[in-house]
Amino acid sequence: MEHVAAWLAEVLSGPADFTAELGGHQALLRARLKLGITEEQRLRRMELMTASVEKQLPDDELLRRRVVEGFDWGTRIAKGVSASAPGTDLGEPGPTRRAGAGAASPDRPDAP
């Protein structure tokens, strides 16, 4: 839970603790290599995370939406990367922060 909180805070433009302490986006991607995440698994994860966010943030629609968008963004990237074999070159590290144009995507998880 602490790792997810650090990741989400950084993605939402908070402190860069996830990168500094846990290896950032590249470490996160490497951990998912060869997992073979299916779309059904990704959607189930989104279901669970959305329910959790709704429970924890019942009075803040804007924040709920931003958090769920962050999870959706991350699960799409994880699914895409999970089809690759361990040791796959993921390219140069990109930022963990989700910053609009040029941000990492399922097609370019390492985009600057």
Side-chain angles (χ1 to χ4, degrees):
M1 184 173 299
E2 290 173 8
H3 292 184
V4 172
W7 169 80
L8 188 58
E10 189 166 324
V11 166
L12 296 174
S13 300
D17 295 342
F18 184 79
T19 295
E21 298 171 15
L22 300 168
H25 201 83
Q26 292 292 306
L28 184 70
L29 295 177
R30 282 191 301 276
R32 274 124 186 99
L33 290 172
K34 199 181 177 183
L35 289 180
I37 298 168
T38 66
E39 182 63 8
E40 292 79 17
Q41 290 169 321
R42 188 191 79 77
L43 291 174
R44 178 64 176 147
R45 173 118 178 149
M46 284 302 303
E47 225 177 88
L48 295 169
M49 297 309 292
T50 299
S52 179
V53 168
E54 289 172 354
K55 179 180 177 183
Q56 297 301 316
L57 300 170
D59 300 323
D60 194 332
E61 183 179 339
L62 177 60
L63 183 55
R64 276 196 321 266
R65 186 174 65 232
R66 294 234 22 230
V67 169
V68 169
E69 286 172 356
F71 282 125
D72 185 60
W73 171 77
T75 61
R76 288 176 188 279
I77 293 170
K79 179 180 176 265
V81 168
S82 75
S84 301
T88 297
D89 181 2
L90 298 172
E92 291 298 313
T96 298
R97 296 177 193 276
R98 203 178 114 214
S105 73
D107 300 321
R108 293 196 55 216
D110 61 332

